[in-house]
Amino acid sequence: MKQKFFSISVNRSLMIALVAMLAMGACKSKKKAVQQPAPPVPVEQVQEATPTPAPVSSGEEVAAEKLENYFNSVAAAGNVTIANQTIQEALRMFSNQETPVLIVIHEENGIKDYDEPTTIAKYLEYLKDTKKNLNYISDIRMDANGKVSELELRRK
């Protein structure tokens, strides 16, 4: 019985030693792999393309963007004084305070239904009172002087 126990423990010891040597050998090969620098990657020569000019915004696009900012500022103004100052700045972009503002409430087959027409002065006051800008600019018309002569809005 003692001989059997001895042979089992020897077999077990040899197995443990073999596993330990394999583990140590694997660690060393991993270290070598990590320590070796990666082979250089070939770099392709890229010809620099001629820079394309930035798209030029039309006067209408610039005006629409400024007006959207004014509308949001009036609606978000902290007090009446700030809102009134912003309204005065925005009105300078229009040909006059009676510039028509049309709000599209429905469109089907190219036929538009508008809410009751208003003026830019009244619309800005409406934004100040409600503190909500629920519309976006869908069409803007400019006069020869670069001032807004008509504005068409839609629901967001």
Side-chain angles (χ1 to χ4, degrees):
M1 185 100 175
K2 285 238 179 202
Q3 193 177 19
K4 213 174 195 186
F5 177 74
F6 182 71
S7 68
I8 292 174
S9 65
V10 170
N11 285 341
R12 188 172 275 169
S13 298
L14 288 175
M15 263 315 237
I16 292 172
L18 180 63
V19 169
M21 285 182 14
L22 286 173
M24 291 177 69
C27 289
K28 286 183 181 179
S29 63
K30 285 182 183 176
K31 284 182 183 177
K32 286 181 183 176
V34 170
Q35 290 175 353
Q36 291 178 353
V41 179
V43 179
E44 295 180 24
Q45 295 293 331
V46 178
Q47 292 180 348
E48 290 186 28
T50 57
T52 56
V56 178
S57 298
S58 70
E60 292 174 349
E61 291 173 346
V62 172
E65 188 174 319
K66 283 182 181 180
L67 284 175
E68 287 287 345
N69 290 336
Y70 280 130
F71 292 166
N72 289 328
S73 296
V74 169
N79 60 45
V80 176
T81 306
I82 294 172
N84 287 336
Q85 288 174 349
T86 307
I87 288 172
Q88 290 307 312
E89 289 176 28
L91 286 174
R92 289 187 201 122
M93 293 183 66
F94 292 86
S95 55
N96 62 49
Q97 291 187 3
E98 300 303 311
T99 299
V101 176
L102 305 170
I103 302 172
V104 178
I105 56 175
H106 182 72
E107 181 176 5
E108 189 172 328
N109 298 326
I111 300 171
K112 298 176 185 177
D113 289 328
Y114 296 100
D115 196 1
E116 181 180 342
T118 187
T119 64
I120 189 58
K122 289 179 183 176
Y123 183 71
L124 289 168
E125 289 295 326
Y126 167 79
L127 289 176
K128 179 177 77 173
D129 294 341
T130 61
K131 298 196 178 296
K132 292 180 185 174
N133 182 16
L134 301 176
N135 300 310
Y136 68 93
I137 298 171
S138 65
D139 190 25
I140 187 170
R141 302 229 170 88
M142 310 286 277
D143 63 11
N145 298 327
K147 302 274 187 175
V148 178
S149 61
E150 186 178 309
L151 197 59
E152 184 179 276
L153 306 175
R154 290 180 188 262
R155 275 278 199 223
K156 287 183 181 176

